[in-house]
Amino acid sequence: TFTAWCNSHLRKAGTQIENIDEDFRDGLKLMLLLEVISGERLPKPERGKMRVHKINNVNKALDFIASKGVKLVSIGAEEIVDGNAKMTLGMIWTIILRFAIQDISVEETSAKEGLLLWCQRKTAPYKNVNVQNFHISWKDGLAFNALIHRHRPELIEYDKLRKDDPVTNLNNAFEVAEKYLDIPKMLDAEDIVNTARPDEKAIMTYVSSFYHAFSGAQKAETAANRICKVLAVNQENEHLMEDYEKLASDLLEWIRRTIPWLEDRVPQKTIQEMQQKLEDFRDYRRVHKPPKVQEKCQLEINFNTLQTKLRLSNRPAFMPSEGKMVSDINNGWQHLEQAEKGYEEWLLNEIRRLERLDHLAEKFRQKASIHEAWTDGKEAMLKHRDYETATLSDIKALIRKHEAFESDLAAHQDRVEQIAAIAQELNELDYYDSHNVNTRCQKICDQWDALGSLTHSRREALEKTEKQLEAIDQLHLEYAKRAAPFNNWMESAMEDLQDMFIVHTIEEIEGLISAHDQFKSTLPDADREREAILAIHKEAQRIAESNHIKLSGSNPYTTVTPQIINSKWEKVQQLVPKRDHALLEEQSKQQSNEHLRRQFASQANVVGPWIQTKMEEIGRISIEMNGTLEDQLSHLKQYERSIVDYKPNLDLLEQQHQLIQEALIFDNKHTNYTMEHIRVGWEQLLTTIARTINEVENQILTRDAKGISQEQMQEFRASFNHFDKDHGGALGPEEFKACLISLGYDVENDRQGEAEFNRIMSLVDPNHSGLVTFQAFIDFMSRETTDTDTADQVIASFKVLAGDKNFITAEELRRELPPDQAEYCIARMAPYQGPDAVPGALDYKSFSTALYGESDL
């Protein structure tokens, strides 16, 4: 075995040995062997044949071995020169251990243990192979075949080997190794099989040749794994960046579409149209906006997670496209909420205004119709020249009748003024049909002026002939004078009883009921007045009949007949119970509204303080943070679920709020909370707990990526909280300096300490905000205590794959890397431009540098 091992190296120098204890006696081939395996030059050998020349040569070889840190015990030059086989073999084994086995290192083990661990790792996947030593574990030959198949599977058909045929297995491995791997046959299959315990040194010597033969492939595998790790991180980050860009674009587009809708304050003409706008706004708040709030929160969480991953993998921070920064989204969101603010109040005010307008318009039409009905035929009557042919009694009757008309005209003056005032108010409130209202009002006013002028002219004509007329029957005159005001009172009463009303509180409706009760209390007096007027008319008829006076059939002084008085009185009697019913219905409605107010207030006064309490509890939790990060995360998620489970209380409040709005209830004295306050508080509560959970998740990412222990993380949190006096979640410069001093950093108030503190502040507060967050503090401490991949390490890995060249080819990348990552590199690597470039050469150095610098990767 030792002879074959020596010849495998001496062959490179063009020589061989046949007898190991004879051919090394002159020291020449021994020195040549050491030069070949070490790659170093030994002192010039002496070519003489004398014993002293041979001893000097052997001593030079032994001195070189000793210079490599090998202790040669009981091995002297004289024994080698004399051909002592035992000493010669011991020396060769010492050389093998030093130059073939000692430098082997696998997972912090070296030499024999390292070689054994390497064999175990490589043969682990193979059945019937269990390498525990360097003697009996190799007797069946399967371990040798497994080593070859693991690195060169095309050379061995491993599945056809049988454990019960060790000689065939051993010879197959030895022959393949010698023919294809340039490893000489150092062992004999029959010797191994027929020996109870094969020679351990021989096995180790032969196996070390396999290790050195395959060590290049091991380095390439390690380099490929490093590159795969770096590229996998980069691909994942690119995917997160694309997701952020799409989510940000969608959210900004929704904000852009929604803001003009909220800013549209063009009023509608009818209550129904405005109520539809209010319903659309409620759908927006209940259906459309909540998912967008969640998207905005998720976008911020994704952005923070991405930046944490980039920072942990030593990559540059992610800079979104122009206009898609988190600050841009926050600005757009603020614009949206500013547009939303006051929109609902504007809708409700518009509904109130339209309701008021409809009420006034109906009141105008009612009063105008009554007035127009009263003025119908009045102009023709005033223009009639009946006094020219009338008798004296007729003239006197006409004068009295005209006086009664003037009294009636004066009584209607107030109604005309009311009609004009209502029209003016409709104009001021921008009533959509103001044109028709103004036209009708102007016609009434013009007609009223004409009636005044005609009345004055007729009175002059009647007074002109008054001297020729006899006094008109006093009873008829008294009847007319009392009947006209009473008739006007009844018309006013009917008008009031039919007048529309609108109230918003129980106090207002109770005021109307009180006024109506007061009106009803005057009815007995009015009934007595009616009977008195009718008695006058009956007395006139009795006198005329008793004195044989022929009456024309009607009172000459008035058109208000007893039939009209009775008819209108009966109408008043009918309208009173109807008014009672309408007022009671409105009272019931206001009582129902008051119940809705109290019901909403009862729920709001519970939900509002609950949200406020939860916000305060989250603030305390984010400061105290007891237990492991996983415990904190679990606790926060349980806390989040308890908050989400409270959502049905908010939904119940939304239902009650909808009932209030549908009932057009505009105020509530029983609570200071509005639905808007509750919604904003709820959204802030969900956002705060989500952000707190994200902060702990990022701390876990930092801890795992940097290898920070739980005790270190707790120490960092305790130090940070100790100096965070105001519990604001951030440290000022002086607080941060005190925290660093407590952790052993030399940042005292001298020149060197200030320079070191300024350097650290530039790392933890690159934006110069004057505050250091806990995440920035953790990132700094993790950088101080751990290491990460660098561009130089990636370049060194690519150099191994490239066979120490300054460039790499697509063929080499496809051979050493997984297909997807090989194609990823080929697509992004620039052509190599160096003087030693070949066709298809790729520049792996600029590619590796770009992974850790400003680039489009």
Side-chain angles (χ1 to χ4, degrees):
T1 300
F2 288 176
T3 300
W5 183 85
C6 292
N7 283 333
S8 69
H9 294 287
L10 288 172
R11 190 184 305 121
K12 300 175 183 176
T15 187
Q16 297 259 338
I17 63 171
E18 295 180 1
N19 191 327
I20 198 167
D21 53 346
E22 288 293 327
D23 291 347
F24 285 145
R25 291 178 64 183
D26 61 359
L28 294 175
K29 289 187 178 181
L30 178 60
M31 293 179 71
L32 183 61
L33 174 64
L34 290 172
E35 287 184 345
V36 171
I37 62 178
S38 68
E40 298 179 19
R41 296 290 296 176
L42 271 69
K44 186 175 180 181
E46 298 178 10
R47 298 291 180 180
K49 300 294 185 178
M50 298 178 64
R51 177 179 174 81
V52 66
H53 296 149
K54 296 178 180 180
I55 290 174
N56 288 339
N57 288 338
V58 173
N59 276 328
K60 290 178 182 179
L62 295 177
D63 290 341
F64 178 79
I65 295 172
S67 71
K68 298 301 180 181
V70 179
K71 292 182 180 180
L72 297 171
V73 180
S74 300
I75 299 177
E78 290 79 6
E79 286 85 357
I80 304 300
V81 172
D82 292 338
N84 187 323
K86 182 177 181 181
M87 291 297 178
T88 303
L89 289 174
M91 179 189 66
I92 296 302
W93 174 242
T94 301
I95 292 173
I96 291 172
L97 281 177
R98 171 60 184 85
F99 294 101
I101 298 177
Q102 181 175 317
D103 291 336
I104 294 174
S105 177
V106 179
E107 294 186 7
E108 300 181 355
T109 63
S110 60
K112 178 181 177 180
E113 291 77 14
L115 183 60
L116 181 62
L117 180 60
W118 178 78
C119 294
Q120 291 171 342
R121 290 282 189 271
K122 295 301 180 181
T123 61
Y126 294 87
K127 62 182 180 179
N128 297 326
V129 177
N130 182 18
V131 178
Q132 298 297 326
N133 49 55
F134 286 106
H135 35 83
I136 61 175
S137 295
W138 303 84
K139 286 188 66 175
D140 59 8
L142 292 178
F144 291 109
N145 285 276
L147 281 178
I148 298 172
H149 184 268
R150 179 66 182 270
H151 295 91
R152 297 288 300 276
E154 75 277 9
L155 300 179
I156 298 290
E157 294 181 356
Y158 186 85
D159 293 336
K160 294 184 178 181
L161 300 177
R162 302 197 332 267
K163 187 176 180 65
D164 59 357
D165 191 5
V167 174
T168 301
N169 297 341
L170 290 166
N171 285 328
N172 180 65
F174 298 161
E175 291 168 4
V176 169
E178 185 174 29
K179 183 177 181 180
Y180 296 102
L181 305 179
D182 200 24
I183 299 175
K185 186 176 181 182
M186 303 180 187
L187 303 172
D188 184 80
E190 285 74 17
D191 289 345
I192 294 175
V193 174
N194 296 327
T195 302
R197 179 186 172 97
D199 184 75
E200 186 179 55
K201 295 178 181 179
I203 298 293
M204 284 180 62
T205 301
Y206 189 55
V207 172
S208 69
S209 298
F210 282 90
Y211 175 86
H212 290 293
F214 295 134
S215 63
Q218 177 71 20
K219 292 180 181 178
E221 180 180 352
T222 302
N225 288 338
R226 179 182 292 276
I227 292 173
C228 290
K229 174 185 174 183
V230 171
L231 294 179
V233 170
N234 218 62
Q235 288 172 317
E236 180 185 5
N237 291 341
E238 286 183 0
H239 180 67
L240 290 175
M241 293 175 192
E242 291 170 359
D243 288 348
Y244 174 88
E245 291 282 336
K246 183 178 185 305
L247 189 57
S249 298
D250 293 344
L251 184 58
L252 287 170
E253 176 60 20
W254 178 82
I255 293 174
R256 185 191 65 77
R257 292 196 314 268
T258 305
I259 287 176
W261 176 68
L262 292 173
E263 290 177 341
D264 180 16
R265 303 295 171 88
V266 177
Q268 302 299 314
K269 293 182 178 180
T270 66
I271 293 178
Q272 291 74 20
E273 291 173 326
M274 290 304 297
Q275 286 177 335
Q276 183 59 48
K277 289 177 74 71
L278 180 62
E279 183 63 29
D280 293 342
F281 180 74
R282 283 202 296 264
D283 287 342
Y284 158 79
R285 290 307 306 267
R286 290 195 307 265
V287 179
H288 303 296
K289 186 181 179 184
K292 299 302 177 183
V293 173
Q294 293 296 325
E295 289 180 15
K296 177 177 178 292
C297 179
Q298 188 62 45
L299 190 69
E300 293 177 358
I301 291 173
N302 291 351
F303 182 84
N304 292 336
T305 301
L306 174 59
Q307 296 294 41
T308 299
K309 289 185 176 181
L310 290 173
R311 185 167 56 252
L312 294 177
S313 60
N314 204 19
R315 301 303 198 275
F318 169 56
M319 183 63 65
S321 303
E322 183 178 357
K324 297 180 183 177
M325 295 287 291
V326 173
S327 59
D328 296 323
I329 294 172
N330 287 334
N331 290 337
W333 194 264
Q334 289 177 1
H335 189 186
L336 175 75
E337 291 187 333
Q338 288 173 357
E340 181 181 321
K341 184 178 180 182
Y343 184 72
E344 185 176 16
E345 183 180 355
W346 173 78
L347 289 173
L348 295 176
N349 288 337
E350 276 300 308
I351 291 174
R352 286 197 198 99
R353 186 181 70 83
L354 291 175
E355 188 177 41
R356 171 69 175 164
L357 284 174
D358 284 352
H359 171 68
L360 288 174
E362 181 60 28
K363 193 171 185 177
F364 172 86
R365 287 189 290 270
Q366 188 181 72
K367 286 183 177 294
S369 297
I370 293 173
H371 177 77
E372 287 166 348
W374 178 83
T375 58
D376 184 37
K378 294 297 189 291
E379 287 188 21
M381 180 198 71
L382 292 173
K383 292 178 181 179
H384 192 211
R385 303 175 66 86
D386 52 344
Y387 53 84
E388 293 181 347
T389 57
T391 63
L392 183 60
S393 59
D394 292 334
I395 290 299
K396 287 186 176 293
L398 289 175
I399 291 175
R400 301 296 182 270
K401 182 179 179 180
H402 189 71
E403 289 176 349
F405 173 75
E406 287 179 330
S407 177
D408 199 8
L409 186 67
H412 279 79
Q413 176 69 33
D414 182 61
R415 181 181 289 114
V416 174
E417 291 175 356
Q418 290 177 4
I419 291 172
I422 293 172
Q424 179 64 26
E425 188 172 0
L426 287 171
N427 284 320
E428 291 173 354
L429 293 176
D430 195 23
Y431 181 55
Y432 75 96
D433 198 23
S434 294
H435 175 71
N436 291 331
V437 169
N438 291 336
T439 301
R440 189 173 185 182
C441 180
Q442 188 61 46
K443 181 179 179 182
I444 289 173
C445 291
D446 291 344
Q447 187 183 43
W448 183 256
D449 292 338
L451 287 176
S453 177
L454 290 173
T455 298
H456 180 71
S457 298
R458 183 172 178 81
R459 183 170 185 79
E460 288 181 344
L462 290 174
E463 288 178 349
K464 200 174 190 180
T465 57
E466 185 178 9
K467 296 178 181 179
Q468 304 172 10
L469 299 178
E470 295 179 350
I472 303 300
D473 186 9
Q474 293 299 315
L475 289 173
H476 278 180
L477 182 59
E478 184 180 357
Y479 173 90
K481 288 183 177 181
R482 294 180 67 173
F486 184 72
N487 179 66
N488 188 57
W489 175 86
M490 286 192 297
E491 288 182 348
S492 297
M494 287 189 294
E495 182 178 345
D496 291 338
L497 290 171
Q498 298 178 82
D499 189 20
M500 297 177 64
F501 57 85
I502 177 171
V503 295
H504 299 288
T505 65
I506 290 180
E507 291 77 10
E508 291 177 353
I509 189 61
E510 287 178 350
L512 290 177
I513 292 174
S514 176
H516 183 60
D517 291 338
Q518 185 176 359
F519 166 76
K520 289 194 293 184
S521 67
T522 64
L523 290 179
D525 291 338
D527 190 39
R528 286 190 289 271
E529 177 65 10
R530 180 184 66 85
E531 291 177 351
I533 293 172
L534 294 178
I536 294 172
H537 177 72
K538 291 179 180 179
E539 179 64 18
Q541 285 185 329
R542 187 190 65 78
I543 293 174
E545 291 175 357
S546 62
N547 293 285
H548 305 286
I549 297 174
K550 185 176 181 181
L551 299 176
S552 60
S554 61
N555 193 318
Y557 304 118
T558 182
T559 59
V560 180
T561 65
Q563 292 77 12
I564 292 175
I565 291 176
N566 287 331
S567 175
K568 290 184 178 181
W569 178 257
E570 184 177 340
K571 181 67 173 177
V572 169
Q573 294 295 96
Q574 293 173 353
L575 290 174
V576 167
K578 290 182 179 179
R579 185 71 167 184
D580 287 334
H581 180 70
L583 290 173
L584 289 175
E585 278 189 345
E586 184 62 29
Q587 185 182 39
S588 175
K589 175 185 175 183
Q590 290 304 320
Q591 289 173 344
S592 174
N593 289 352
E594 183 66 8
H595 172 72
L596 291 176
R597 288 189 184 97
R598 293 181 181 275
Q599 181 179 343
F600 175 86
S602 174
Q603 182 74 0
N605 289 336
V606 172
V607 174
W610 183 89
I611 292 176
Q612 184 176 356
T613 300
K614 292 302 177 182
M615 288 292 290
E616 294 171 355
E617 290 178 359
I618 293 173
R620 291 197 299 272
I621 290 172
S622 64
I623 292 173
E624 296 169 357
M625 290 295 184
N626 297 321
T628 66
L629 291 177
E630 284 75 12
D631 292 340
Q632 296 169 21
L633 182 61
S634 175
H635 177 61
L636 286 171
K637 287 187 176 180
Q638 290 177 359
Y639 202 84
E640 183 184 41
R641 286 193 293 273
S642 70
I643 291 174
V644 173
D645 292 339
Y646 197 76
K647 183 66 165 54
N649 296 281
L650 205 71
D651 295 337
L652 176 61
L653 201 61
E654 286 282 7
Q655 296 172 4
Q656 295 170 352
H657 180 64
Q658 181 176 352
L659 294 176
I660 284 179
Q661 288 194 324
E662 289 173 351
L664 298 179
I665 300 172
F666 305 111
D667 52 21
N668 193 341
K669 64 182 180 181
H670 303 295
T671 181
N672 293 325
Y673 291 99
T674 66
M675 197 63 228
E676 181 65 20
H677 292 154
I678 299 297
R679 291 172 184 145
V680 171
W682 178 256
E683 293 169 0
Q684 290 177 346
L685 180 61
L686 292 179
T687 301
T688 300
I689 188 64
R691 286 175 177 165
T692 305
I693 289 173
N694 178 246
E695 178 182 315
V696 176
E697 289 174 339
N698 285 340
Q699 291 176 22
I700 292 174
L701 282 176
T702 301
R703 183 200 66 191
D704 294 342
K706 299 297 185 179
I708 299 174
S709 68
Q710 183 63 38
E711 291 74 18
Q712 286 178 306
M713 186 64 75
Q714 290 176 348
E715 180 184 358
F716 295 159
R717 167 58 77 177
S719 298
F720 187 92
N721 287 343
H722 176 74
F723 292 97
D724 185 13
K725 301 301 183 182
D726 59 353
H727 305 298
L731 301 179
E734 292 303 318
E735 292 174 330
F736 182 56
K737 177 182 284 188
C739 182
L740 290 176
I741 293 173
S742 73
L743 292 173
Y745 284 84
D746 184 13
V747 290
E748 296 293 344
N749 294 325
D750 54 27
R751 178 178 296 178
Q752 183 177 358
E754 284 296 326
E756 176 64 7
F757 180 70
N758 290 333
R759 180 191 72 81
I760 295 174
M761 280 299 292
S762 67
L763 295 175
V764 300
D765 185 22
N767 297 324
H768 305 292
S769 64
L771 293 174
V772 179
T773 65
F774 182 68
Q775 186 62 45
F777 176 73
I778 288 298
D779 290 343
F780 167 74
M781 295 306 297
S782 65
R783 284 197 296 271
E784 291 294 297
T785 57
T786 60
D787 191 14
T788 58
D789 292 326
T790 65
D792 290 339
Q793 291 174 327
V794 177
I795 290 173
S797 298
F798 272 117
K799 193 167 186 177
V800 171
L801 298 187
D804 209 34
K805 300 192 296 294
N806 291 325
F807 60 85
I808 195 168
T809 65
E811 180 181 359
E812 290 170 332
L813 288 171
R814 292 190 177 102
R815 184 177 66 239
E816 302 295 347
L817 299 179
D820 60 332
Q821 295 190 339
E823 298 304 324
Y824 180 84
C825 293
I826 293 169
R828 286 164 172 77
M829 281 187 183
Y832 177 69
Q833 304 295 338
D836 53 342
V838 300
L842 299 175
D843 188 354
Y844 62 78
K845 292 183 179 179
S846 63
F847 173 78
S848 300
T849 303
L851 287 176
Y852 291 89
E854 295 295 333
S855 73
D856 297 329
L857 289 177

